[in-house]
């Protein structure tokens, strides 16, 4: 699924990485636990999280995860956006709950990591 | 190549900066991306541990053509029971650390999963040294 489609389905707002919206992603993973995110393999899922801190960006950087959807109306800070830009990431803001966000992406064909 | 970084207690804003720097170096050296991921995930877990649980310390990385050897040497308080700490789910993390998405007791087991050789030594009251080696070839 194109990142652009994900943004449209979630009625989201792109905080950075607009130039990458035509890239395709097949998998998605939802967690507020950074330790969980660090155990993911190599299939490069889109991350959905309500944990909105600099460590979210750092953790995704270490895991080679470069598309992050912040759910529950969480907004990344300018410092987070700066760090995300340095790492060529796409940050998306979404007002929906984690459950609703996951449900929309799952029912539109995004695949679970496990 | 020898790299060295200082880790400061509770400095969560900069947690990951050493791992990030080593990731960039390995990229420049054209190391396989899957191996880079294993190296930096392990190092990042250890770096966060040193910031969250210890009174700061030092991270060193020695890179040659075949391998990277990383050491995270902290200044205490030390781990009384390393075997207990190595088991998934065991953690002494503070509520503050848990609020940041860590402290689930998955750090040391995840380090073990990602490295080729691991040695954790600790003396209560002195400090902990986590030595990790990953083959780059």
């Amino acid at each position: 699924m194109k990142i652009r489609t994900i943004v449209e389905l979630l009625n989201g707002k792109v905080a950075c990485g607009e130039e990458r919206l035509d890239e395709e992603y097949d998998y998605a993973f939802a967690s507020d636990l950074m330790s969980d995110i660090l155990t993911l393999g190599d299939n490069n899922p889109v991350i959905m999280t309500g944990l909105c801190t600099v460590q979210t960006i750092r953790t995704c950087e270490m895991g080679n995860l470069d598309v992050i959807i912040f759910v529950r109306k969480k907004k990344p800070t300018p410092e987070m956006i700066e760090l995300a830009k340095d790492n060529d990431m796409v940050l998306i803001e979404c007002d929906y709950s984690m459950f609703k966000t996951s449900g929309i992406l799952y029912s539109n064909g995004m695949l679970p990591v496990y | 190549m020898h790299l060295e970084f200082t880790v400061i207690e509770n400095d969560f804003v900069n947690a990951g900066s050493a791992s990030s720097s080593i990731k960039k170096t390995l990229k420049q050296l054209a190391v396989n991306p899957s191996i880079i991921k294993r190296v930096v995930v392990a190092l990042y877990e250890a770096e966060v541990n040193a910031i969250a649980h210890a009174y700061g310390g030092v991270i060193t990385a020695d890179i040659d053509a075949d391998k990277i050897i990383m050491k995270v040497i902290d200044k205490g308080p030390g781990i009384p029971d390393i075997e207990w700490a190595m088991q998934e789910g065991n953690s002494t993390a503070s509520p503050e650390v848990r609020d940041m998405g860590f402290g689930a007791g998955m750090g040391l087991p995840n380090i073990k999963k990602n490295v080729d050789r691991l040695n954790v030594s600790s003396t209560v009251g002195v400090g902990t040294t986590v030595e990790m080696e990953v083959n780059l070839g």
Side-chain angles (χ1 to χ4, degrees):
Chain A
M1 184 183 292
K2 280 197 164 100
I3 301 172
R4 184 181 306 284
T5 309
I6 293 173
V7 175
E8 284 165 10
L9 286 168
L10 299 178
N11 200 17
K13 180 175 170 271
V14 179
C16 69
E18 266 150 0
E19 67 285 357
R20 295 189 46 203
L21 295 187
D22 287 322
E23 291 179 24
E24 296 266 355
Y25 283 75
D26 297 326
Y27 292 89
F29 184 79
S31 183
D32 284 350
L33 196 59
M34 296 299 102
S35 310
D36 265 351
I37 288 171
L38 286 170
T39 62
L40 297 175
D42 282 335
N43 46 14
N44 198 19
V46 166
I47 298 297
M48 289 167 274
T49 185
L51 193 83
C52 193
T53 71
V54 168
Q55 285 317 307
T56 312
I57 311 292
R58 277 286 186 216
T59 302
C60 288
E61 178 195 351
M62 300 312 151
N64 287 343
L65 302 158
D66 50 9
V67 180
I68 309 172
I69 302 164
F70 291 103
V71 301
R72 302 198 292 268
K73 301 181 184 177
K74 298 291 166 72
K75 312 283 182 222
T77 62
E79 189 188 13
M80 290 167 67
I81 292 171
E82 202 53 44
L83 188 57
K85 281 181 178 169
D86 285 348
N87 288 286
D88 195 26
M89 289 176 173
V90 182
L91 301 187
I92 300 164
E93 299 168 3
C94 171
D95 285 354
Y96 301 155
S97 68
M98 183 86 98
F99 180 74
K100 184 171 175 178
T101 308
S102 302
I104 289 170
L105 295 187
Y106 185 82
S107 60
N108 280 278
M110 291 292 281
L111 300 168
V113 174
Y114 55 82
Chain B
M1 183 188 296
H2 177 80
L3 302 167
E4 202 162 316
F5 306 88
T6 303
V7 176
I8 298 163
E9 180 186 5
N10 286 325
D11 183 14
F12 285 103
V13 174
N14 290 308
S17 53
S19 306
S20 178
S21 175
I22 286 171
K23 182 180 183 181
K24 288 183 177 86
T25 301
L26 293 176
K27 262 186 171 175
Q28 282 165 5
L29 294 171
V31 173
N32 177 311
S34 297
I35 295 174
I36 294 179
K37 180 171 169 171
R38 286 173 48 218
V39 168
V40 298
V41 164
L43 183 60
Y44 180 59
E45 292 273 21
E47 188 179 354
V48 169
N49 275 350
I51 290 165
H53 296 289
Y55 312 132
V58 175
I59 294 175
T60 64
D62 288 281
I63 306 166
D64 64 28
D66 305 325
K67 62 184 182 300
I68 178 166
I69 298 172
M70 300 165 283
K71 289 182 190 172
V72 181
I73 305 155
D74 74 43
K75 298 184 216 159
I79 305 170
D81 187 343
I82 293 173
E83 226 170 90
W84 182 87
M86 290 298 295
Q87 285 168 33
E88 210 163 285
N90 289 349
S91 177
T92 56
S94 66
E96 185 200 5
V97 170
R98 289 173 198 268
D99 281 349
M100 277 181 278
F102 297 100
M106 291 159 76
L108 282 170
N110 201 25
I111 290 171
K112 196 175 176 186
K113 201 180 86 182
N114 280 287
V115 300
D116 293 306
R117 276 164 294 281
L118 171 67
N119 184 44
V120 183
S121 55
S122 191
T123 306
V124 173
V126 178
T128 300
T129 297
V130 178
E131 293 179 68
M132 300 166 283
E133 190 174 320
V134 177
N135 300 330
L136 299 179

